[in-house]
Amino acid sequence: MKNKNLTRSLLALAVTAASVSAQAEIVLYDKEGTTFSADGLLNAFYTHQEQGDDKVSRVRMGFLPNYIGFNVAKEQGDLTLGARSSFWVTINDVNNDDLNGDSETDTAIDVRQFYGTVDGDWGQVLFGKDFGLYARSNIFNDELLLGVGFAPQNSVRTTFGNITTGYPYANPNAQITYRSPTANGFQLAVGILDPSYSNDLSRYSEEPRFEAELTYNADYNGLKLGAWLGGAMGETTTATDTVDAQGLAYGVQLGYGGFKLTASGFDQEGIPTTFTSDVLDSEVDSDGYLVQTSYTYKAVRGVLSYGNVDAGGIESELSAGALFYNVTDNLKLVGEYSVYEPEGGEDMDTLALGAVLTW
């Protein structure tokens, strides 16, 4: 039941929309200060899993869903007006019990981003729906972002990467966010977001949710340093209770030549790590961390990863290794092996082989 709730609330992660599209977007129009472009991602994996006596083979999406995104920008005096919309879909058809649909081939479409932006010398204001600020960089910098990670056998949409085994989810939400200009490597983002609710909207929060993130990026004679510190504060409202929610997320990434080392963590209260509403009925404490190292040589990148989350005294961990091979700038082959270890449950071994296409 818990995995079913997880899959319903996560039509996967789209947090790399900005980074992927920046590398591979297609400019469809560029004239008189107005640009319009499209970007997208397609992926599919064969997974073979063993958990106890169960052996399951599937063809499914990885951590990221398939999506198409559209971007527009227009110069108007000292301002640049922009907008982004992205539409995320599953390649795994779901049955009526999953979506209450009309067909055995129902395929969900989810809008994870639909926002406008105003940019100037003073920074940027974003208004609309986008991923939250809290723990955003923890996910952005995951070396397994284009892989599989934790993969419940019965998920009808995406796998979960290191969500629940390394970091919480930067849930897409209605927001008004300000980002400062970058100064000496530092950039600050602060926002007010629609508070988190259960499915019953009869109870409302008196205050919005506040989130912020400070990032730092620099290059010291070839040593690349990235660091971030984010926080969230507000209320999580259920049908029966209002829970004080607060959290702190942080991380650092070092890179030199082909080597990269990434370490991140979080400590929070009243914020779920598993996407299920049952953990919101009390002020559950949770914390976790993710440590990864990688080496890139020409077209090949190897990754070793370990993540651990303790939610209310119950631990889950994921150990993984992966190889990524760039056939071209837009086509990547992926091989990954992971071991998921839930406290009090049976370990699950997953072998994943797949391809990722971006444009």
Side-chain angles (χ1 to χ4, degrees):
M1 181 65 180
K2 184 171 289 187
N3 282 340
K4 187 174 181 180
N5 289 335
L6 284 171
T7 57
R8 283 182 174 175
S9 54
L10 176 71
L11 177 60
L13 210 69
V15 280
T16 51
S19 58
V20 171
S21 63
Q23 297 176 17
E25 67 177 1
I26 299 174
V27 177
L28 304 175
Y29 181 86
D30 186 356
K31 188 176 181 181
E32 297 178 352
T34 300
T35 60
F36 182 78
S37 64
D39 56 84
L41 180 144
L42 297 169
N43 74 93
F45 288 85
Y46 164 74
T47 61
H48 178 78
Q49 298 178 292
E50 296 186 9
Q51 187 172 30
D53 295 330
D54 294 333
K55 296 182 179 180
V56 177
S57 291
R58 295 190 59 189
V59 175
R60 64 205 298 195
M61 291 183 302
F63 185 30
L64 293 182
N66 296 278
Y67 80 85
I68 184 169
F70 300 99
N71 312 280
V72 63
K74 183 174 181 62
E75 303 288 343
Q76 291 197 322
D78 295 332
L79 300 178
T80 300
L81 308 182
R84 175 172 174 81
S85 59
S86 62
F87 305 90
W88 308 80
V89 302
T90 171
I91 63 171
N92 301 108
D93 293 330
V94 293
N95 60 36
N96 296 340
D97 292 335
D98 293 313
L99 286 183
N100 296 318
D102 299 323
S103 169
E104 290 297 320
T105 58
D106 284 338
T107 300
I109 298 177
D110 196 4
V111 181
R112 293 275 156 164
Q113 295 173 302
F114 209 95
Y115 61 78
T117 55
V118 180
D119 286 80
D121 293 339
W122 39 266
Q124 181 196 76
V125 173
L126 179 150
F127 52 93
K129 185 178 183 180
D130 192 19
F131 296 92
L133 301 176
Y134 174 63
R136 185 185 184 104
S137 290
N138 296 51
I139 304 176
F140 273 156
N141 292 292
D142 185 353
E143 293 273 18
L144 296 180
L145 204 58
L146 294 179
V148 172
F150 171 42
Q153 293 175 345
N154 63 347
S155 64
V156 296
R157 296 187 176 118
T158 68
T159 63
F160 300 131
N162 277 294
I163 295 175
T164 75
T165 59
Y167 43 67
Y169 184 41
N171 194 56
N173 213 338
Q175 61 184 275
I176 302 173
T177 296
Y178 167 74
R179 287 178 172 82
S180 72
T182 301
N184 298 318
F186 289 95
Q187 185 177 41
L188 176 66
V190 294
I192 56 174
L193 288 78
D194 196 32
S196 298
Y197 297 101
S198 68
N199 291 331
D200 183 355
L201 295 182
S202 62
R203 293 172 54 85
Y204 296 91
S205 173
E206 295 181 359
E207 299 178 352
R209 180 180 179 124
F210 298 93
E211 296 191 4
E213 184 183 56
L214 178 66
T215 59
Y216 175 73
N217 291 280
D219 190 329
Y220 297 96
N221 297 319
L223 175 63
K224 296 181 180 180
L225 169 64
W228 61 93
L229 177 65
M233 180 177 64
E235 294 178 339
T236 297
T237 303
T238 72
T240 59
D241 198 8
T242 297
V243 177
D244 291 330
Q246 54 190 353
L248 188 68
Y250 48 86
V252 63
Q253 186 174 80
L254 297 172
Y256 187 81
F259 287 99
K260 187 181 292 184
L261 176 65
T262 307
S264 65
F266 72 95
D267 193 343
Q268 62 187 25
E269 179 182 11
I271 300 175
T273 59
T274 58
F275 308 99
T276 54
S277 60
D278 56 340
V279 300
L280 305 180
D281 293 330
S282 62
E283 297 185 1
V284 174
D285 292 325
S286 57
D287 59 78
Y289 62 90
L290 179 65
V291 179
Q292 299 176 315
T293 185
S294 69
Y295 181 71
T296 301
Y297 179 73
K298 295 184 178 179
V300 179
R301 177 168 64 97
V303 176
L304 293 176
S305 175
Y306 175 78
N308 181 290
V309 166
D310 184 325
I314 300 176
E315 291 191 43
S316 298
E317 53 187 297
L318 184 77
S319 304
L323 284 176
F324 298 83
Y325 175 70
N326 293 333
V327 181
T328 71
D329 290 340
N330 301 95
L331 176 62
K332 192 183 304 288
L333 302 181
V334 185
E336 179 183 314
Y337 184 81
S338 67
V339 179
Y340 172 65
E341 300 177 70
E343 184 173 339
E346 292 184 298
D347 294 356
M348 180 172 66
D349 294 17
T350 301
L351 172 66
L353 303 172
V356 181
L357 176 64
T358 60
W359 75 86

